[in-house]
Amino acid sequence: MSVASDTTAQGALRHVERLIFGHRRLVLLLCALLTAVLAWQATRVQFNASFEQTLPISHPFVRNFLAHQSELRGLGNAVRVAVANPRDNGSIYDAAYLEVLRRLSDEVFLVPGVNRAEFKSLWTASTRWVGVTEDGLEGGPVIPAGYDGGPDSLRQLADNIARSGEIGQLVALDARSSAIYVPLLAQGADGKDLDYGELARRLEALRAKYEQEGVRIHITGYAKIVGDLIAGLHAVLAFFAVAVIVATAWLYGYTRCRRSTLIVVSASLVAVVWLLGLLPLLGMRLGPYSVLVPFLVFAIGMSHGAQKMNGIMQDIGRGADRLEAARMTFRRLFLAGLAALLADVVGFAVLLVIDIPAIRELALAASLGVATLIVTNLILIPVLLSYVGVSPAAARRSLRLEADGRRHRLWDGLLHFTRRGPALAALVGAVILGLAGAFAAQRLAIGDLDAGAPELRPDSRYNRDAMFMAGAYGASSDVLAVMVATPDGRCSEVDTVRRLDTLEWELRQVPGVEGTSSLAQMVRRTMTGLNEGHPKWYDVVANQDMVNTITAGAPRGLYNDTCNLLTLHVYLADHKAQTLQRVVDHVRDFAAANDSEEGRFLLAAGSAGMDAATNMAVASSWRVMLWLVYGAVCLLAWIAFRSWRAVLVAVLPLVLTSVLAEALMVALHIGVKVATLPVVALGVGIGVDYALYILTVLLAHQRAGEPLAQAFHRSLLFTGRVVMLTGLTLATGVFTWIASPIKFQADMGILLAFMFLWNMLGALVLLPALARFLLPDGMTGLRYSPAIQGERSIGHD
């Protein structure tokens, strides 16, 4: 980069400065009009989620599932409602209990969004029994004809249930509860997406209503999880309010100036309003993950706003008028702020490589929100402060703090890291920490590491319901389905059914598999029943006519109407990453050895199948995302500083923080999953802000001929306090999330707080230590940002 090109860029920046500050009233008018319009639009923002948005759409498992979704019964988006009889020695064979179940079943059946064609409970005609009598095979609905609630009817019901195969499915193993299977439609008759919040509210209303009649109701399923997350939105809003209060308190405690604090907080809130207003205009909405974006936008806005306010306050304290101080700060920090915000945008945007619509929605919303900060914080704050300035007392106080800082023990301690000995010790310590962290991070797992719904607390109502389901029905709701694709009308070929039978038997031996269900198992049981229960007939016989006959009477959930698809249901103990991987690996190995034109074994359907696909998508994106975010941050740092040495000084502390964050995830038993995947990208994108601001000032003074120690000291005096203020503000704000009822928000809060603090320490400790060796005194040939060339007022008395 030549001096001429630097001068041209500097001239362009001054032209932008004259354009903005020469039309300040127009800038304020346009911002006010835009705020009013987008504030009205923000009232239309919607919060919802969909089952499909959480899936990696291009993954082979998901493509297989979506290709056959209409033919897979009981494996889509569904809710299970278990109704228990809590009385001593109570069971489902109780007339009063059955009457409550019937009325509840009827009401749930009519809830909007329910797929009524596949709805199932003890009271639906599709719940049938099949038995072998002296007259042959007989069957019918499990609720006997002429049921009157009397002892004879209840005994007949018990016999029918015993022959229905529903024990462990619709009926609990101890017969103290029964379940209602509630499949859901992705869209209603009006074409609108399913409203999970409304569905959850209706189910909770039914729970409250019928529990007053002496039963206990337990509800599980993806829709209920999302409903609980939506209900937790109020808690998210409360934490946002806490973050605003905490940030305001920190900032006012630093400035002791009401007007400037109010302007910085207001401008950051304006950015949030613009974001919320733009979402409905662009056809976007807030989901369970993107609902955290407004807080992050506000926090980033406070960080950059504090830098601008600090610069203006110090310049006013040195005698500059309000307009001159605002223009000087704009000229001095605009490019550094722009590079930092672009780094934040990139940190969010790289999440687009993750093939999960919910994460891409988060990435787009966050990138959009940070982009608004370019206007509200880099332009609007200096323009507003050029009118109102800061209080004279606050300006004088800033100079006193700077004068005191020249003798401050903390600053003196940090200056030691510009000397060879302490710098070398700090770098050796960082290397040791990095190696220890990398060793611990080798145990970092992909996916969920806990049973139940990982999005919610272990003691949440949902997870207590999930534990009840697992205990009462002998299997969790985690089902992985293996599909066997065959030519049309040939799903019952003996050879195909026998291969399915072999896979089913092998999977039962895999740790974590609690049970299976398939056409092969149905053939075995029916053959035994047709031959007086003799165990020697428990086999898939080589008789095609007999297998065809049994298949014709089998439930359609085991094969489809055109008989070109078989389904093997695998019931798992949990959806932990290790459990899913064992099953997937076994099925893949089996398919590689047994696939043919007559039958291809396909993965996967069911909730656990989608979890497995998601884990694979996360695993394939994890390192790619890290390389992209670091590559983009390095590029932006190069543009700002034009020095590979400065890039290393800025980025290496971030690498250490990322490694230690992964080690912390191992220590806290947090896996890499959809909820935690964005954290590292956010930590890097936001964390580089500290280094960019400190290096901007440090390099300007080094270029002016000052030694490293003096240049770093001036950096601390000018921006060091604000870096500490920003780090503490961001960390405090996100750490309050630890009290959230939403577990993934609590996990994100812990990890982000850790990364914000470590990035702050890296900028204050490792940055001067690295600069001691990479940016030594007297080094020539460096070229720095045109935003800081020629600006000689940074940190001057």
Side-chain angles (χ1 to χ4, degrees):
M1 179 71 69
S2 67
V3 175
S5 61
D6 282 349
T7 303
T8 301
Q10 186 178 355
L13 180 62
R14 290 184 179 275
H15 177 73
V16 172
E17 175 195 335
R18 289 193 296 271
L19 182 65
I20 292 172
F21 287 92
H23 303 84
R24 290 182 295 166
R25 293 182 180 178
L26 179 60
V27 169
L28 293 179
L29 178 62
L30 291 175
C31 288
L33 290 175
L34 191 58
T35 302
V37 172
L38 292 179
W40 175 74
Q41 284 290 331
T43 61
R44 302 171 53 204
V45 70
Q46 296 181 348
F47 183 91
N48 202 4
S50 72
F51 178 64
E52 289 75 13
Q53 278 192 316
T54 63
L55 306 179
I57 300 301
S58 64
H59 192 278
F61 290 9
V62 179
R63 289 204 304 267
N64 290 337
F65 165 67
L66 295 178
H68 301 287
Q69 185 175 13
S70 61
E71 303 168 297
L72 296 168
R73 298 191 179 184
L75 292 173
N77 186 13
V79 168
R80 294 178 74 199
V81 181
V83 185
N85 188 340
R87 301 190 185 97
D88 293 338
N89 299 319
S91 75
I92 65 171
Y93 305 114
D94 178 288
Y97 167 88
L98 289 169
E99 176 59 21
V100 171
L101 177 67
R102 182 189 65 79
R103 290 189 287 112
L104 175 59
S105 178
D106 289 346
E107 288 205 51
V108 174
F109 182 82
L110 296 175
V111 170
V114 172
N115 182 355
R116 299 184 179 98
E118 297 182 13
F119 180 90
K120 196 172 183 181
S121 78
L122 289 181
W123 283 97
T124 56
S126 58
T127 307
R128 303 178 66 81
W129 65 272
V130 176
V132 179
T133 69
E134 59 272 16
D135 297 322
L137 287 174
E138 293 185 0
V142 294
I143 299 294
Y147 170 82
D148 59 8
D152 292 340
S153 292
L154 294 175
R155 280 193 295 271
Q156 185 62 51
L157 174 61
D159 291 341
N160 291 349
I161 288 176
R163 294 180 289 183
S164 69
E166 295 293 351
I167 295 177
Q169 300 295 318
L170 286 184
V171 178
L173 299 176
D174 60 4
R176 292 178 61 87
S177 69
S178 67
I180 303 172
Y181 174 72
V182 189
L184 302 173
L185 299 169
Q187 295 179 329
D190 55 1
K192 294 182 179 179
D193 290 343
L194 176 63
D195 187 336
Y196 286 93
E198 179 61 23
L199 175 68
R201 284 189 290 271
R202 285 177 176 266
L203 292 176
E204 285 298 330
L206 291 175
R207 189 204 306 253
K209 174 182 177 180
Y210 283 97
E211 283 193 341
Q212 295 178 359
E213 299 190 26
V215 297
R216 291 289 179 268
I217 297 177
H218 309 271
I219 308 173
T220 61
Y222 171 80
K224 188 62 175 66
I225 294 174
V226 175
D228 287 353
L229 292 177
I230 294 174
L233 176 61
H234 298 291
V236 174
L237 295 176
F239 286 117
F240 181 82
V242 170
V244 173
I245 294 171
V246 169
T248 303
W250 274 108
L251 189 59
Y252 179 74
Y254 171 73
T255 63
R256 305 296 171 84
C257 176
R258 292 188 182 90
R259 69 180 82 165
S260 58
T261 298
L262 180 62
I263 283 177
V264 172
V265 173
S266 299
S268 301
L269 289 175
V270 164
V272 174
V273 171
W274 286 13
L275 167 63
L276 296 178
L278 289 170
L279 291 179
L281 280 177
L282 299 176
M284 300 170 63
R285 58 189 178 186
L286 289 176
Y289 303 111
S290 58
V291 71
L292 303 178
V293 169
F295 166 78
L296 293 173
V297 170
F298 173 78
I300 296 169
M302 290 293 292
S303 169
H304 292 276
Q307 293 286 356
K308 306 302 176 295
M309 180 195 65
N310 181 65
I312 293 172
M313 184 176 294
Q314 291 192 10
D315 286 333
I316 290 177
R318 297 187 188 99
D321 62 37
R322 292 172 294 188
L323 178 58
E324 181 185 1
R327 297 185 71 153
M328 290 169 62
T329 297
F330 176 87
R331 189 184 319 134
R332 184 163 54 233
L333 295 179
F334 178 80
L335 189 58
L338 180 62
L341 286 176
L342 290 177
D344 298 338
V345 171
V346 168
F348 289 113
V350 296
L351 296 174
L352 293 172
V353 304
I354 304 170
D355 186 30
I356 299 175
I359 294 298
R360 290 181 171 177
E361 186 179 69
L362 180 152
L364 289 173
S367 299
L368 186 65
V370 175
T372 64
L373 291 173
I374 295 175
V375 177
T376 62
N377 286 67
L378 299 188
I379 296 176
L380 182 59
I381 287 179
V383 170
L384 287 172
L385 287 175
S386 72
Y387 279 107
V388 302
V390 299
S391 68
R396 291 192 297 270
R397 181 173 179 274
S398 71
L399 290 185
R400 286 199 307 272
L401 289 175
E402 182 177 340
D404 293 342
R406 297 181 189 280
R407 303 180 299 274
H408 200 285
R409 291 183 179 179
L410 177 59
W411 292 164
D412 290 341
L414 293 175
L415 284 175
H416 284 301
F417 294 108
T418 61
R419 301 172 185 170
R420 182 179 179 84
L424 187 60
L427 294 179
V428 170
V431 170
I432 293 173
L433 276 176
L435 292 175
F439 177 77
Q442 290 180 347
R443 301 193 303 274
L444 186 64
I446 301 294
D448 297 324
L449 304 182
D450 299 309
E455 298 87 353
L456 303 171
R457 297 282 188 178
D459 60 350
S460 66
R461 177 66 183 266
Y462 181 91
N463 279 326
R464 294 200 306 272
D465 287 349
M467 289 178 61
F468 171 85
M469 293 286 196
Y473 293 84
S476 72
S477 58
D478 299 311
V479 182
L480 185 145
V482 181
M483 296 164 282
V484 185
T486 71
D488 289 348
R490 299 175 64 177
C491 67
S492 60
E493 291 283 343
V494 171
D495 181 63
T496 301
V497 176
R498 281 187 161 179
R499 279 186 289 150
L500 176 63
D501 181 62
T502 300
L503 174 60
E504 185 173 11
W505 182 88
E506 291 180 2
L507 286 175
R508 289 198 202 105
Q509 320 311 313
V510 175
V513 175
E514 295 192 332
T516 59
S517 174
S518 74
L519 178 63
Q521 187 182 78
M522 181 75 177
V523 170
R524 283 176 171 270
R525 290 177 175 175
T526 305
M527 285 301 301
T528 304
L530 290 173
N531 291 276
E532 300 178 347
H534 200 292
K536 76 175 184 180
W537 288 100
Y538 190 71
D539 193 9
V540 178
V541 297
N543 185 318
Q544 188 63 61
D545 291 338
M546 181 60 69
V547 174
N548 289 344
T549 300
I550 295 172
T551 301
R556 286 297 184 270
L558 301 180
Y559 72 103
N560 64 349
D561 291 335
T562 55
C563 194
N564 63 6
L565 187 74
L566 294 172
T567 308
L568 167 59
H569 300 75
V570 185
Y571 302 98
L572 306 178
D574 53 61
H575 55 263
K576 296 179 182 179
Q578 303 92 323
T579 304
L580 297 175
Q581 196 61 50
R582 282 194 297 267
V583 175
V584 167
D585 288 345
H586 192 95
V587 175
R588 280 177 162 172
D589 292 342
F590 185 90
N594 290 274
D595 274 355
S596 68
E597 293 183 0
E598 298 302 315
R600 293 180 297 110
F601 293 81
L602 307 175
L603 284 165
S607 59
M610 297 303 97
D611 287 338
T614 301
N615 289 351
M616 293 176 188
V618 168
S620 64
S621 304
W622 172 240
R623 297 301 172 190
V624 174
M625 182 197 71
L626 286 179
W627 281 109
L628 286 175
V629 70
Y630 275 109
V633 167
C634 288
L635 177 61
L636 290 170
W638 170 266
I639 293 173
F641 302 130
R642 307 320 179 357
S643 164
W644 67 265
R645 296 173 179 268
V647 171
L648 290 178
V649 171
V651 171
L652 287 179
L654 304 180
V655 176
L656 175 62
T657 301
S658 297
V659 172
L660 294 179
E662 292 185 9
L664 179 64
M665 292 173 68
V666 173
L668 297 179
H669 204 60
I670 299 173
V672 182
K673 50 191 177 183
V674 173
T676 56
L677 191 60
V679 172
V680 172
L682 304 185
V684 173
I686 298 174
V688 76
D689 295 359
Y690 308 126
L692 288 173
Y693 278 111
I694 289 180
L695 274 176
T696 296
V697 181
L698 185 147
L699 294 176
H701 285 288
Q702 272 197 306
R703 192 174 189 280
E706 297 181 10
L708 173 64
Q710 184 177 351
F712 183 60
H713 191 204
R714 289 187 180 276
S715 302
L716 293 176
L717 294 177
F718 183 73
T719 194
R721 289 181 181 275
V722 182
V723 165
M724 294 182 65
L725 170 71
T726 299
L728 293 172
T729 300
L730 291 175
T732 303
V734 297
F735 191 73
T736 59
W737 295 359
I738 196 172
S740 172
I742 302 173
K743 188 175 183 298
F744 78 77
Q745 184 187 8
D747 291 343
M748 290 181 70
I750 294 172
L751 294 174
L752 284 173
F754 175 83
M755 297 189 75
F756 290 154
L757 289 176
W758 269 96
N759 283 330
M760 179 190 74
L761 291 174
L764 296 175
V765 175
L766 291 182
L767 187 150
L770 288 166
R772 173 63 181 79
F773 297 99
L774 293 174
L775 302 172
D777 296 335
M779 185 177 61
T780 60
L782 292 177
R783 302 198 186 281
Y784 305 109
S785 165
I788 57 178
Q789 291 185 21
E791 180 59 76
R792 303 301 300 273
S793 64
I794 301 176
H796 287 190
D797 296 329

